[in-house]
PDB file of all heavy atoms in Angstrom:
ATOM      1  N   ASP A  83     135.037  88.965 109.058  1.00 51.00           N
ATOM      2  CA  ASP A  83     134.956  87.878 108.053  1.00 51.00           C
ATOM      3  C   ASP A  83     133.547  87.417 107.804  1.00 51.00           C
ATOM      4  O   ASP A  83     133.212  86.857 106.793  1.00 51.00           O
ATOM      5  CB  ASP A  83     135.829  86.706 108.496  1.00 51.00           C
ATOM      6  CG  ASP A  83     137.308  87.083 108.507  1.00 51.00           C
ATOM      7  OD1 ASP A  83     137.651  88.047 107.880  1.00 51.00           O
ATOM      8  OD2 ASP A  83     138.036  86.349 109.217  1.00 51.00           O
ATOM      9  N   ARG A  84     132.633  87.604 108.794  1.00 51.00           N
ATOM     10  CA  ARG A  84     131.296  87.151 108.696  1.00 51.00           C
ATOM     11  C   ARG A  84     130.370  88.111 108.028  1.00 51.00           C
ATOM     12  O   ARG A  84     129.277  87.739 107.592  1.00 51.00           O
ATOM     13  CB  ARG A  84     130.707  86.841 110.081  1.00 51.00           C
ATOM     14  CG  ARG A  84     131.360  85.611 110.712  1.00 51.00           C
ATOM     15  CD  ARG A  84     130.704  85.276 111.984  1.00 51.00           C
ATOM     16  NE  ARG A  84     130.797  86.312 112.988  1.00 51.00           N
ATOM     17  CZ  ARG A  84     131.497  86.173 114.106  1.00 51.00           C
ATOM     18  NH1 ARG A  84     132.099  85.007 114.358  1.00 51.00           N
ATOM     19  NH2 ARG A  84     131.543  87.150 114.980  1.00 51.00           N
ATOM     20  N   ARG A  85     130.754  89.319 107.909  1.00 53.00           N
ATOM     21  CA  ARG A  85     129.902  90.329 107.269  1.00 53.00           C
ATOM     22  C   ARG A  85     130.000  90.243 105.776  1.00 53.00           C
ATOM     23  O   ARG A  85     130.939  89.702 105.216  1.00 53.00           O
ATOM     24  CB  ARG A  85     130.353  91.739 107.690  1.00 53.00           C
ATOM     25  CG  ARG A  85     129.954  92.096 109.074  1.00 53.00           C
ATOM     26  CD  ARG A  85     130.186  93.481 109.415  1.00 53.00           C
ATOM     27  NE  ARG A  85     131.211  93.505 110.456  1.00 53.00           N
ATOM     28  CZ  ARG A  85     132.176  94.367 110.546  1.00 53.00           C
ATOM     29  NH1 ARG A  85     132.338  95.323 109.668  1.00 53.00           N
ATOM     30  NH2 ARG A  85     133.021  94.305 111.530  1.00 53.00           N
ATOM     31  N   GLY A  86     128.988  90.829 105.127  1.00 52.00           N
ATOM     32  CA  GLY A  86     128.934  90.822 103.665  1.00 52.00           C
ATOM     33  C   GLY A  86     129.852  91.927 103.120  1.00 52.00           C
ATOM     34  O   GLY A  86     130.725  92.455 103.854  1.00 52.00           O
ATOM     35  N   PRO A  87     129.594  92.355 101.902  1.00 54.00           N
ATOM     36  CA  PRO A  87     130.407  93.424 101.329  1.00 54.00           C
ATOM     37  C   PRO A  87     130.281  94.716 102.087  1.00 54.00           C
ATOM     38  O   PRO A  87     129.264  94.966 102.751  1.00 54.00           O
ATOM     39  CB  PRO A  87     129.836  93.573  99.891  1.00 54.00           C
ATOM     40  CG  PRO A  87     128.948  92.409  99.696  1.00 54.00           C
ATOM     41  CD  PRO A  87     128.607  91.823 101.013  1.00 54.00           C
ATOM     42  N   PRO A  88     131.228  95.642 101.961  1.00 57.00           N
ATOM     43  CA  PRO A  88     131.150  96.959 102.681  1.00 57.00           C
ATOM     44  C   PRO A  88     129.912  97.668 102.255  1.00 57.00           C
ATOM     45  O   PRO A  88     129.423  97.571 101.103  1.00 57.00           O
ATOM     46  CB  PRO A  88     132.406  97.672 102.205  1.00 57.00           C
ATOM     47  CG  PRO A  88     133.315  96.658 101.565  1.00 57.00           C
ATOM     48  CD  PRO A  88     132.468  95.480 101.193  1.00 57.00           C
ATOM     49  N   GLY A  89     129.369  98.445 103.169  1.00 57.00           N
ATOM     50  CA  GLY A  89     128.174  99.169 102.886  1.00 57.00           C
ATOM     51  C   GLY A  89     126.889  98.488 103.281  1.00 57.00           C
ATOM     52  O   GLY A  89     125.822  99.046 103.214  1.00 57.00           O
ATOM     53  N   GLY A  90     127.003  97.246 103.823  1.00 55.00           N
ATOM     54  CA  GLY A  90     125.869  96.561 104.341  1.00 55.00           C
ATOM     55  C   GLY A  90     124.951  95.924 103.300  1.00 55.00           C
ATOM     56  O   GLY A  90     123.894  95.425 103.620  1.00 55.00           O
ATOM     57  N   ARG A  91     125.244  95.976 102.062  1.00 63.00           N
ATOM     58  CA  ARG A  91     124.403  95.388 101.021  1.00 63.00           C
ATOM     59  C   ARG A  91     125.021  94.110 100.553  1.00 63.00           C
ATOM     60  O   ARG A  91     126.114  94.070 100.021  1.00 63.00           O
ATOM     61  CB  ARG A  91     124.212  96.362  99.815  1.00 63.00           C
ATOM     62  CG  ARG A  91     123.469  97.584 100.244  1.00 63.00           C
ATOM     63  CD  ARG A  91     122.965  98.296  99.019  1.00 63.00           C
ATOM     64  NE  ARG A  91     122.067  99.397  99.408  1.00 63.00           N
ATOM     65  CZ  ARG A  91     122.328 100.633  99.291  1.00 63.00           C
ATOM     66  NH1 ARG A  91     123.460 100.964  98.680  1.00 63.00           N
ATOM     67  NH2 ARG A  91     121.504 101.542  99.617  1.00 63.00           N
ATOM     68  N   GLY A  92     124.318  93.033 100.708  1.00 63.00           N
ATOM     69  CA  GLY A  92     124.795  91.735 100.218  1.00 63.00           C
ATOM     70  C   GLY A  92     124.373  91.479  98.811  1.00 63.00           C
ATOM     71  O   GLY A  92     123.669  92.231  98.181  1.00 63.00           O
ATOM     72  N   VAL A  93     124.794  90.362  98.329  1.00 68.00           N
ATOM     73  CA  VAL A  93     124.403  89.931  97.013  1.00 68.00           C
ATOM     74  C   VAL A  93     123.002  89.340  97.048  1.00 68.00           C
ATOM     75  O   VAL A  93     122.711  88.465  97.847  1.00 68.00           O
ATOM     76  CB  VAL A  93     125.430  88.902  96.440  1.00 68.00           C
ATOM     77  CG1 VAL A  93     124.981  88.381  95.138  1.00 68.00           C
ATOM     78  CG2 VAL A  93     126.793  89.469  96.380  1.00 68.00           C
ATOM     79  N   ARG A  94     122.112  89.847  96.190  1.00 63.00           N
ATOM     80  CA  ARG A  94     120.745  89.322  96.196  1.00 63.00           C
ATOM     81  C   ARG A  94     120.767  87.974  95.426  1.00 63.00           C
ATOM     82  O   ARG A  94     121.225  87.913  94.320  1.00 63.00           O
ATOM     83  CB  ARG A  94     119.816  90.295  95.535  1.00 63.00           C
ATOM     84  CG  ARG A  94     118.343  89.811  95.592  1.00 63.00           C
ATOM     85  CD  ARG A  94     117.429  90.857  95.126  1.00 63.00           C
ATOM     86  NE  ARG A  94     117.450  92.075  95.948  1.00 63.00           N
ATOM     87  CZ  ARG A  94     116.689  92.312  97.037  1.00 63.00           C
ATOM     88  NH1 ARG A  94     115.855  91.374  97.382  1.00 63.00           N
ATOM     89  NH2 ARG A  94     116.778  93.415  97.641  1.00 63.00           N
ATOM     90  N   ARG A  95     120.284  86.967  96.089  1.00 68.00           N
ATOM     91  CA  ARG A  95     120.288  85.631  95.469  1.00 68.00           C
ATOM     92  C   ARG A  95     118.838  85.225  95.147  1.00 68.00           C
ATOM     93  O   ARG A  95     117.906  85.659  95.814  1.00 68.00           O
ATOM     94  CB  ARG A  95     120.857  84.600  96.418  1.00 68.00           C
ATOM     95  CG  ARG A  95     122.258  84.864  96.714  1.00 68.00           C
ATOM     96  CD  ARG A  95     122.841  83.779  97.619  1.00 68.00           C
ATOM     97  NE  ARG A  95     124.209  84.039  97.933  1.00 68.00           N
ATOM     98  CZ  ARG A  95     124.822  83.601  98.974  1.00 68.00           C
ATOM     99  NH1 ARG A  95     124.209  82.814  99.805  1.00 68.00           N
ATOM    100  NH2 ARG A  95     126.077  83.926  99.200  1.00 68.00           N
ATOM    101  N   GLU A  96     118.712  84.414  94.121  1.00 69.00           N
ATOM    102  CA  GLU A  96     117.461  83.834  93.757  1.00 69.00           C
ATOM    103  C   GLU A  96     117.095  82.793  94.826  1.00 69.00           C
ATOM    104  O   GLU A  96     117.946  82.147  95.380  1.00 69.00           O
ATOM    105  CB  GLU A  96     117.487  83.191  92.384  1.00 69.00           C
ATOM    106  CG  GLU A  96     117.747  84.093  91.260  1.00 69.00           C
ATOM    107  CD  GLU A  96     116.587  85.063  91.061  1.00 69.00           C
ATOM    108  OE1 GLU A  96     115.403  84.626  91.162  1.00 69.00           O
ATOM    109  OE2 GLU A  96     116.791  86.278  90.803  1.00 69.00           O
ATOM    110  N   PRO A  97     115.803  82.676  95.172  1.00 75.00           N
ATOM    111  CA  PRO A  97     115.408  81.675  96.136  1.00 75.00           C
ATOM    112  C   PRO A  97     115.724  80.287  95.630  1.00 75.00           C
ATOM    113  O   PRO A  97     115.601  80.002  94.439  1.00 75.00           O
ATOM    114  CB  PRO A  97     113.927  81.894  96.321  1.00 75.00           C
ATOM    115  CG  PRO A  97     113.498  82.710  95.187  1.00 75.00           C
ATOM    116  CD  PRO A  97     114.666  83.453  94.635  1.00 75.00           C
ATOM    117  N   ARG A  98     116.130  79.442  96.555  1.00 82.00           N
ATOM    118  CA  ARG A  98     116.476  78.062  96.115  1.00 82.00           C
ATOM    119  C   ARG A  98     115.206  77.301  95.739  1.00 82.00           C
ATOM    120  O   ARG A  98     114.181  77.543  96.316  1.00 82.00           O
ATOM    121  CB  ARG A  98     117.124  77.347  97.304  1.00 82.00           C
ATOM    122  CG  ARG A  98     118.500  77.791  97.603  1.00 82.00           C
ATOM    123  CD  ARG A  98     119.104  76.953  98.711  1.00 82.00           C
ATOM    124  NE  ARG A  98     120.446  77.337  98.990  1.00 82.00           N
ATOM    125  CZ  ARG A  98     121.183  76.836  99.937  1.00 82.00           C
ATOM    126  NH1 ARG A  98     120.643  75.925 100.711  1.00 82.00           N
ATOM    127  NH2 ARG A  98     122.398  77.217 100.098  1.00 82.00           N
ATOM    128  N   PRO A  99     115.339  76.402  94.756  1.00 88.00           N
ATOM    129  CA  PRO A  99     114.134  75.599  94.444  1.00 88.00           C
ATOM    130  C   PRO A  99     113.847  74.633  95.546  1.00 88.00           C
ATOM    131  O   PRO A  99     114.721  74.323  96.414  1.00 88.00           O
ATOM    132  CB  PRO A  99     114.627  74.877  93.176  1.00 88.00           C
ATOM    133  CG  PRO A  99     116.097  74.902  93.223  1.00 88.00           C
ATOM    134  CD  PRO A  99     116.498  76.141  93.962  1.00 88.00           C
ATOM    135  N   LEU A 100     112.615  74.135  95.607  1.00 89.00           N
ATOM    136  CA  LEU A 100     112.232  73.195  96.632  1.00 89.00           C
ATOM    137  C   LEU A 100     112.948  71.882  96.423  1.00 89.00           C
ATOM    138  O   LEU A 100     113.223  71.449  95.301  1.00 89.00           O
ATOM    139  CB  LEU A 100     110.738  72.943  96.551  1.00 89.00           C
ATOM    140  CG  LEU A 100     109.817  74.065  96.950  1.00 89.00           C
ATOM    141  CD1 LEU A 100     108.346  73.644  96.743  1.00 89.00           C
ATOM    142  CD2 LEU A 100     110.057  74.538  98.352  1.00 89.00           C
ATOM    143  N   THR A 101     113.275  71.219  97.518  1.00 91.00           N
ATOM    144  CA  THR A 101     113.880  69.882  97.451  1.00 91.00           C
ATOM    145  C   THR A 101     112.854  68.865  97.090  1.00 91.00           C
ATOM    146  O   THR A 101     111.633  69.142  97.178  1.00 91.00           O
ATOM    147  CB  THR A 101     114.580  69.504  98.759  1.00 91.00           C
ATOM    148  OG1 THR A 101     113.516  69.396  99.775  1.00 91.00           O
ATOM    149  CG2 THR A 101     115.600  70.535  99.201  1.00 91.00           C
ATOM    150  N   ALA A 102     113.308  67.694  96.690  1.00 92.00           N
ATOM    151  CA  ALA A 102     112.322  66.643  96.359  1.00 92.00           C
ATOM    152  C   ALA A 102     111.460  66.279  97.545  1.00 92.00           C
ATOM    153  O   ALA A 102     110.264  65.990  97.399  1.00 92.00           O
ATOM    154  CB  ALA A 102     113.114  65.394  95.849  1.00 92.00           C
ATOM    155  N   ARG A 103     112.050  66.262  98.712  1.00 94.00           N
ATOM    156  CA  ARG A 103     111.302  65.958  99.924  1.00 94.00           C
ATOM    157  C   ARG A 103     110.244  67.002 100.202  1.00 94.00           C
ATOM    158  O   ARG A 103     109.126  66.716 100.636  1.00 94.00           O
ATOM    159  CB  ARG A 103     112.275  65.785 101.124  1.00 94.00           C
ATOM    160  CG  ARG A 103     111.544  65.361 102.336  1.00 94.00           C
ATOM    161  CD  ARG A 103     112.442  64.664 103.295  1.00 94.00           C
ATOM    162  NE  ARG A 103     112.785  63.331 102.801  1.00 94.00           N
ATOM    163  CZ  ARG A 103     113.897  62.679 103.091  1.00 94.00           C
ATOM    164  NH1 ARG A 103     114.776  63.250 103.884  1.00 94.00           N
ATOM    165  NH2 ARG A 103     114.152  61.527 102.609  1.00 94.00           N
ATOM    166  N   GLN A 104     110.628  68.288 100.061  1.00 93.00           N
ATOM    167  CA  GLN A 104     109.655  69.376 100.253  1.00 93.00           C
ATOM    168  C   GLN A 104     108.521  69.294  99.269  1.00 93.00           C
ATOM    169  O   GLN A 104     107.364  69.497  99.618  1.00 93.00           O
ATOM    170  CB  GLN A 104     110.320  70.695 100.200  1.00 93.00           C
ATOM    171  CG  GLN A 104     111.265  70.995 101.371  1.00 93.00           C
ATOM    172  CD  GLN A 104     112.125  72.234 101.176  1.00 93.00           C
ATOM    173  OE1 GLN A 104     112.321  72.711 100.016  1.00 93.00           O
ATOM    174  NE2 GLN A 104     112.639  72.786 102.255  1.00 93.00           N
ATOM    175  N   GLU A 105     108.817  68.948  98.034  1.00 94.00           N
ATOM    176  CA  GLU A 105     107.779  68.733  97.018  1.00 94.00           C
ATOM    177  C   GLU A 105     106.816  67.599  97.439  1.00 94.00           C
ATOM    178  O   GLU A 105     105.624  67.711  97.270  1.00 94.00           O
ATOM    179  CB  GLU A 105     108.406  68.440  95.669  1.00 94.00           C
ATOM    180  CG  GLU A 105     109.124  69.617  95.023  1.00 94.00           C
ATOM    181  CD  GLU A 105     108.167  70.587  94.391  1.00 94.00           C
ATOM    182  OE1 GLU A 105     106.969  70.353  94.304  1.00 94.00           O
ATOM    183  OE2 GLU A 105     108.650  71.626  93.944  1.00 94.00           O
ATOM    184  N   ALA A 106     107.416  66.516  97.957  1.00 94.00           N
ATOM    185  CA  ALA A 106     106.603  65.378  98.387  1.00 94.00           C
ATOM    186  C   ALA A 106     105.707  65.710  99.526  1.00 94.00           C
ATOM    187  O   ALA A 106     104.545  65.355  99.602  1.00 94.00           O
ATOM    188  CB  ALA A 106     107.509  64.218  98.730  1.00 94.00           C
ATOM    189  N   VAL A 107     106.200  66.489 100.493  1.00 94.00           N
ATOM    190  CA  VAL A 107     105.435  66.936 101.651  1.00 94.00           C
ATOM    191  C   VAL A 107     104.281  67.815 101.196  1.00 94.00           C
ATOM    192  O   VAL A 107     103.145  67.647 101.610  1.00 94.00           O
ATOM    193  CB  VAL A 107     106.313  67.634 102.714  1.00 94.00           C
ATOM    194  CG1 VAL A 107     105.456  68.319 103.729  1.00 94.00           C
ATOM    195  CG2 VAL A 107     107.296  66.643 103.337  1.00 94.00           C
ATOM    196  N   LEU A 108     104.572  68.748 100.253  1.00 94.00           N
ATOM    197  CA  LEU A 108     103.494  69.580  99.750  1.00 94.00           C
ATOM    198  C   LEU A 108     102.409  68.751  99.017  1.00 94.00           C
ATOM    199  O   LEU A 108     101.240  69.052  99.122  1.00 94.00           O
ATOM    200  CB  LEU A 108     104.083  70.646  98.780  1.00 94.00           C
ATOM    201  CG  LEU A 108     104.625  71.899  99.378  1.00 94.00           C
ATOM    202  CD1 LEU A 108     105.204  72.809  98.301  1.00 94.00           C
ATOM    203  CD2 LEU A 108     103.552  72.637 100.122  1.00 94.00           C
ATOM    204  N   ALA A 109     102.866  67.749  98.287  1.00 94.00           N
ATOM    205  CA  ALA A 109     101.926  66.888  97.552  1.00 94.00           C
ATOM    206  C   ALA A 109     100.986  66.129  98.564  1.00 94.00           C
ATOM    207  O   ALA A 109      99.770  65.997  98.306  1.00 94.00           O
ATOM    208  CB  ALA A 109     102.674  65.914  96.662  1.00 94.00           C
ATOM    209  N   VAL A 110     101.554  65.655  99.668  1.00 94.00           N
ATOM    210  CA  VAL A 110     100.772  64.982 100.669  1.00 94.00           C
ATOM    211  C   VAL A 110      99.725  65.947 101.278  1.00 94.00           C
ATOM    212  O   VAL A 110      98.598  65.553 101.474  1.00 94.00           O
ATOM    213  CB  VAL A 110     101.715  64.353 101.750  1.00 94.00           C
ATOM    214  CG1 VAL A 110     100.900  63.854 102.941  1.00 94.00           C
ATOM    215  CG2 VAL A 110     102.544  63.242 101.169  1.00 94.00           C
ATOM    216  N   ILE A 111     100.148  67.133 101.621  1.00 93.00           N
ATOM    217  CA  ILE A 111      99.268  68.113 102.163  1.00 93.00           C
ATOM    218  C   ILE A 111      98.152  68.448 101.171  1.00 93.00           C
ATOM    219  O   ILE A 111      96.963  68.536 101.543  1.00 93.00           O
ATOM    220  CB  ILE A 111     100.042  69.393 102.578  1.00 93.00           C
ATOM    221  CG1 ILE A 111     100.981  69.085 103.751  1.00 93.00           C
ATOM    222  CG2 ILE A 111      99.091  70.531 102.992  1.00 93.00           C
ATOM    223  CD1 ILE A 111     101.987  70.176 104.045  1.00 93.00           C
TER     224      ILE A 111
END
């Protein structure tokens, strides 16, 4: 149940956008 689709290839996902807190931390840096 924990494995992806058969053949070992999962669905390629777009990277998640940064959260507001991550954006704020980057701005401080």
Side-chain angles (χ1 to χ4, degrees):
D83 295 340
R84 289 188 295 248
R85 285 189 244 143
R91 293 197 173 114
V93 176
R94 185 171 299 269
R95 296 182 181 158
E96 292 296 320
R98 289 184 177 175
L100 292 178
T101 64
R103 184 156 288 154
Q104 289 170 340
E105 290 282 353
V107 169
L108 274 178
V110 169
I111 294 169

